[in-house]
Amino acid sequence: GWFDDIIIATGVTPRRLDIPGADHPSVVSYADILSGVRTAGRRVAVIGAGGIGFDIAEFLSSGPTSEVMDPDHFAAEWGFDRSIATRGGLARPADEAPRREIVMLQRKPGRMGRGLGVSTGWILRLQLAKRKVAQLTGVTYRRIDDQGLHVTVGPEDRVIPADTIVVCAGQE
């Protein structure tokens, strides 16, 4: 035969949360958000700040596809003067109101996004900062209920109000 081995890659299954309230209707996997099976609400908590968590936060903080794909919108968001009438072709980046209130959370202390790609990670971090995506590190997840996501950060117990809690905590 032509092949020594054949590998069948059928994909991954998003890891489920193991905290009280993980079955609450507000909890959704990143796969369901990206596939369109579920739609996020106005206030979103993103559990997990690896590559998938950053991608979900970027996806949920961006506009509709027709807007995102528009070259004029891209130029305005990043401060390019497409007419090159300004010095260096630079303009003041557009200051848009955030589309959603998004809070990213991770268990590890320290800066988020350390594992992102060297050549593109800075873009995601900058974009999320411009879109006012909040980031909490050193988080202990306690439970989920109708009030939102209950966490402990340092010595402080907090509730993150959320219509949608997106689980980006890895894959099985």
Side-chain angles (χ1 to χ4, degrees):
W2 290 42
F3 305 101
D4 295 327
D5 296 299
I6 296 175
I7 298 171
I8 300 173
T10 60
V12 298
T13 302
R15 184 175 293 139
R16 296 187 45 81
L17 277 183
D18 187 21
I19 62 172
D23 58 347
H24 192 274
S26 64
V27 177
V28 60
S29 81
Y30 68 85
D32 286 344
I33 290 290
L34 292 176
S35 68
V37 169
R38 295 276 305 269
T39 302
R42 176 89 176 100
R43 300 172 305 163
V44 179
V46 177
I47 295 179
I52 297 288
F54 269 84
D55 287 345
I56 283 291
E58 193 282 327
F59 177 77
L60 292 175
S61 64
S62 66
T65 303
S66 60
E67 180 180 287
V68 172
M69 298 302 291
D70 178 25
D72 290 330
H73 180 268
F74 178 85
E77 183 178 20
W78 287 97
F80 302 135
D81 176 6
R82 296 183 69 201
S83 70
I84 312 178
T86 59
R87 188 176 206 162
L90 300 176
R92 182 174 188 87
D95 193 17
E96 297 179 12
R99 297 179 185 283
R100 289 185 168 95
E101 295 173 31
I102 300 174
V103 180
M104 294 177 68
L105 305 107
Q106 79 175 16
R107 291 181 197 200
K108 288 187 281 189
R111 191 177 70 123
M112 283 189 184
R114 288 184 185 170
L116 297 176
V118 174
S119 61
T120 57
W122 68 272
I123 298 168
L124 272 174
R125 286 190 293 273
L126 178 62
Q127 202 163 38
L128 296 182
K130 285 175 52 173
R131 294 175 182 170
K132 302 195 179 9
V133 172
Q135 298 181 349
L136 290 176
T137 62
V139 173
T140 300
Y141 305 112
R142 293 191 352 257
R143 73 178 184 280
I144 297 167
D145 60 21
D146 289 343
Q147 289 182 306
L149 175 60
H150 296 255
V151 298
T152 301
V153 183
E156 180 186 357
D157 290 340
R158 295 179 61 179
V159 178
I160 311 298
D163 306 310
T164 309
I165 299 168
V166 185
V167 181
C168 301
Q171 300 85 25
E172 304 288 337

